[in-house]
C-alpha cells in the first residue's frame, strides 16, 4: 500500500515543473508554503468533523475521503520542503520495530 504513496510522491515531484494553471498541485506550489499549510489545517479540521459525524452514525466513507485529502495535502507539504513519504514511513517502521521489541521484552519478563 505504501507503493501508492511513493507513486503519488513521484507525480507531486513532476508537478514542480508544471505551469500553475495546468495542475492543482502546481498551483499550490506556486501559491507557496503558507497556502499549503492552510490546506493541511483545513483538511485536518474537516477530518475531525467527519470523525465526529461517523461516531454519531454518519457516513464512514466521508471520513475516508477527508482523511485522503489530509494525507494528500500533507504529501504536498513534504514535497514543497523537498521531502516525501519515505522518511515518514521509515520513522513509523522504526517505531513499529521498537514496539515489537518492547512486546518481546514484556513477554520475556512474564516468563
Ligand atoms: N490525490 C489527489 C487529490 N486529493 C485531493 N485533491 C484536491 O484537493 C482539493 C480538496 O480541497 P477542497 O475540497 O478545499 O477543494 P478546493 O475548493 O478546490 O480547494 P481550494 O480552492 O480551497 O484550495 C480538491 O480540489 C481536490 O481535487 C487532489 N488533487 C490531486 N490528487 C492527485 O495528485 C496528482 C496530481 O494532481 P494535479 O496537480 O491535479 O495534476 C494526481 O495524480 C491526483 O491523483
Amino acid at each position: 500500500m505504501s507503493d501508492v504513496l511513493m507513486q503519488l510522491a513521484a507525480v507531486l515531484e513532476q508537478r514542480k515543473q508544471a505551469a500553475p494553471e495546468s495542475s492543482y498541485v502546481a498551483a499550490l506550489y506556486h501559491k507557496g508554503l503558507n497556502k499549503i499549510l492552510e490546506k493541511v489545517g483545513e483538511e485536518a479540521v474537516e477530518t475531525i468533523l467527519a470523525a465526529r459525524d461517523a461516531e454519531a452514525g454518519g457516513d464512514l466513507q466521508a471520513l475516508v475521503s477527508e482523511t485522503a485529502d489530509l494525507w494528500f495535502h500533507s504529501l504536498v507539504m513534504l514535497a514543497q520542503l523537498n521531502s516525501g513519504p519515505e522518511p515518514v514511513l521509515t520513522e513509523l517502521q522504526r517505531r513499529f520495530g521498537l514496539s515489537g521489541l518492547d512486546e518481546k521484552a514484556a513477554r520475556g519478563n512474564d516468563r
Side-chain angles (χ1 to χ4, degrees), residues 40-92:
V40 171
E42 208 179 288
E43 301 303 344
V45 170
E46 286 171 11
T47 300
I48 290 167
L49 295 175
R52 285 289 181 216
D53 279 356
E55 188 188 37
D59 183 9
L60 202 60
Q61 188 51 44
L63 175 59
V64 170
S65 176
E66 293 302 345
T67 305
D69 280 353
L70 177 58
W71 288 17
F72 167 72
H73 285 91
S74 298
L75 288 174
V76 176
M77 172 192 71
L78 289 167
Q80 175 81 340
L81 295 168
N82 296 316
S83 185
E86 202 161 11
V88 179
L89 292 170
T90 301
E91 177 62 13
L92 286 173

Side-chain angles (χ1 to χ4, degrees), residues 7-8 11-12 15 18 20 22-29 31 35 38-39 42-43 46 65-66 68-73 75-76:
Q7 286 165 14
L8 180 53
V11 173
L12 298 185
R15 290 298 185 270
S22 69
S23 141
Y24 175 75
V25 172
L28 272 183
Y29 289 144
K31 288 174 189 166
K35 179 64 186 177
E38 191 185 299
K39 292 302 296 180
E42 208 179 288
E43 301 303 344
E46 286 171 11
S65 176
E66 293 302 345
D69 280 353
L70 177 58
W71 288 17
F72 167 72
H73 285 91
L75 288 174
V76 176

